[in-house]
Amino acid sequence: MISIKGLSKVFKTKDRDVKAVDHMDLSVDKGEIFGVIGYSGAGKSTFIRLLNRLEEPTEGTIQINDQNIIDLSKNDLRVARQNIGMIFQHFNLLWSRTVFDNIAFPLEIAGVPKEERLKRVNELIDLVGLSGRGKSYPSQLSGGQKQRVGIARALANNPQVLLCDEATSALDPETTDSILDLLVDINEKLGLTIILITHEMHVIRKICHRVAVMESGKVVESGDVLDVFLHPKEKVTKKFVDQVMGDPDREDSLNLIQETYRSGEILQLHFVGENTNQALISDISRKFPVDVNILHGKITQTQKGAYGTMLVQLVGEEAEVSRAIDYIRTTSVEVEVSPNV
Ligand SMILES: Nc1ncnc2c1ncn2[C@@H]1O[C@H](COP(=O)(O)OP(=O)(O)OP(=O)(O)O)[C@@H](O)[C@H]1O
Ligand SMILES: [Mg+2]
């Protein structure tokens, strides 16, 4: 649905050129929630602003539904933008207008007649969970409520794409979760394609189907969220995964364990989806004369199911331990023997 090829943006400043986005290629499917994660300065905001040409690209193409956004005239762009909603970290609401009038604003610009506007705004207010707050002013709302107004306004013209630039970064964790739930809800209800950028892996974990990791204007790694969590390749990706899975004590405890229990074999088990339970552990102890010590484990939920890793030690006769490992290999749980951690 969205196909981005060779997209670059160079900012020319007095003393040097800044390559904020550097030959990015990316494709996003219809109806998916696609996350882009990166540290400050990676080029995330520039990238997302290129998608609706709030920023003019230096080179590259952006196809949205077979329309090359880059080629559009000013007038055509205005029409195309009605199909691309956007929400912002600091909400960008009109402070002198009520909630109702903020949401009505893009409809006024699109020339929607008053009666239809009234109906549509009321629908949107209900959709984002702000019933009864239509007459309030933004200053009377909490951060989460303000972002709900932002979302309703972005959806006013029934866009097919929603761009989110750090939409939850100004919110506390609980409010973040409620806004993320709302995004999943509208993604499912409306079949909306969502591209969101963030520097928080928690946001990616919770709602995205696929993710791209950005560093210095480039996509350095991308894939299904579950795959990226399980097998992060780049250093920067590993750091992000550690935000969610990290446990600073893990390395220490592993060293201690290896010193303490010199016998046996240490295994790292990767559980994905429905296998994410401990049935395997009891299964092994039942089938083989080995003891299974659980040393460390962390299981977490993503949009595509639960996943996690567990560090265990198998203790017993060498031949039996090795049979037990062979058995684990026949299941869909991935196993690493003597993992480097
Ligand atoms: N208008 C501009 N003029 C010059 N340089 C810019 C401009 N906008 C962004 N940059 C530079 O481009 C690079 C990418 O910036 P961008 O805002 O896209 O990063 P970001 O990933 O969104 O960071 P953050 O997480 O802090 O929002 C940075 O080096 C920034 O200084
Ligand atoms: Mg930014």
Side-chain angles (χ1 to χ4, degrees):
M1 176 193 193
I2 302 177
S3 167
I4 295 149
K5 293 211 174 88
L7 187 65
S8 296
K9 174 70 185 183
V10 179
F11 289 108
K12 293 194 185 300
T13 60
K14 245 190 269 156
D15 29 312
R16 63 193 190 104
D17 289 357
V18 181
K19 255 197 174 171
V21 172
D22 192 2
H23 292 96
M24 271 179 80
D25 296 320
L26 210 62
S27 64
V28 178
D29 297 332
K30 186 171 166 42
E32 84 174 322
I33 307 184
F34 194 101
V36 177
I37 190 164
Y39 287 108
S40 186
K44 306 181 298 295
S45 292
T46 307
F47 162 68
I48 210 160
R49 289 164 59 83
L50 287 169
L51 297 185
N52 56 4
R53 275 178 59 192
L54 284 180
E55 212 69 78
E56 288 295 335
T58 310
E59 44 176 329
T61 57
I62 301 166
Q63 296 271 137
I64 300 185
N65 283 339
D66 300 326
Q67 204 174 29
N68 187 357
I69 297 294
I70 310 294
D71 288 341
L72 299 180
S73 66
K74 261 200 171 150
N75 251 339
D76 291 343
L77 181 62
R78 198 172 312 135
V79 176
R81 273 188 184 150
Q82 291 184 4
N83 195 32
I84 312 171
M86 185 159 182
I87 56 174
F88 306 85
Q89 178 173 359
H90 298 293
F91 325 119
N92 294 12
L93 302 179
L94 300 164
W95 298 95
S96 59
R97 283 181 162 232
T98 61
V99 167
F100 186 100
D101 289 342
N102 263 281
I103 302 170
F105 190 61
L107 296 168
E108 288 167 26
I109 291 178
V112 175
K114 194 165 177 196
E115 225 155 273
E116 207 177 315
R117 254 179 4 229
L118 185 75
K119 184 167 165 279
R120 179 79 187 127
V121 173
N122 283 326
E123 274 169 18
L124 288 160
I125 286 181
D126 289 345
L127 178 72
V128 301
L130 284 178
S131 307
R133 300 308 300 264
K135 291 198 173 82
S136 304
Y137 284 88
S139 60
Q140 298 167 320
L141 302 178
S142 69
Q145 289 168 332
K146 283 177 200 147
Q147 196 55 288
R148 285 172 191 269
V149 178
I151 292 170
R153 182 184 57 182
L155 297 180
N157 284 310
N158 278 314
Q160 287 183 297
V161 183
L162 179 67
L163 308 176
C164 312
D165 187 351
E166 302 273 5
T168 56
S169 299
L171 307 174
D172 63 56
E174 221 164 281
T175 313
T176 291
D177 279 351
S178 76
I179 294 295
L180 295 179
D181 287 341
L182 175 61
L183 290 176
V184 171
D185 191 41
I186 56 179
N187 162 257
E188 287 171 356
K189 259 194 204 142
L190 312 174
L192 192 72
T193 306
I194 299 180
I195 301 184
L196 70 83
I197 64 173
T198 180
H199 59 273
E200 290 175 300
M201 202 58 175
H202 163 73
V203 171
I204 302 284
R205 173 189 74 77
K206 189 155 192 271
I207 73 164
C208 294
H209 302 117
R210 286 196 299 151
V211 61
V213 183
M214 262 187 100
E215 199 176 27
S216 309
K218 290 191 166 74
V219 173
V220 293
E221 187 163 356
S222 65
D224 279 352
V225 169
L226 212 49
D227 286 343
V228 171
F229 264 95
L230 272 177
H231 303 292
K233 292 186 193 75
E234 300 294 323
K235 210 168 156 194
V236 53
T237 315
K238 288 182 183 150
K239 271 169 90 178
F240 279 121
V241 171
D242 277 350
Q243 275 184 4
V244 176
M245 297 300 284
D247 181 349
D249 296 336
R250 182 165 179 266
E251 207 165 323
D252 284 351
S253 59
L254 188 63
N255 287 338
L256 186 68
I257 286 155
Q258 277 168 336
E259 277 166 29
T260 318
Y261 306 96
R262 291 191 179 275
S263 67
E265 199 72 81
I266 308 263
L267 308 181
Q268 179 150 274
L269 305 175
H270 297 288
F271 294 80
V272 184
E274 72 227 82
N275 294 311
T276 309
N277 58 51
Q278 293 185 24
L280 180 75
I281 307 295
S282 46
D283 200 21
I284 298 167
S285 344
R286 227 181 296 117
K287 283 198 167 77
F288 305 94
V290 297
D291 288 325
V292 187
N293 298 326
I294 297 174
L295 307 176
H296 180 278
K298 189 146 184 182
I299 307 291
T300 193
Q301 294 290 331
T302 74
Q303 266 290 85
K304 292 218 173 148
Y307 85 99
T309 57
M310 195 180 279
L311 210 54
V312 299
Q313 181 196 32
L314 298 193
V315 185
E317 299 245 338
E318 206 175 302
E320 296 297 341
V321 168
S322 145
R323 281 182 58 217
I325 295 172
D326 286 345
Y327 171 72
I328 299 170
R329 291 205 166 103
T330 67
T331 70
S332 53
V333 175
E334 282 181 51
V335 56
E336 256 180 273
V337 180
S338 312
N340 285 327
V341 273

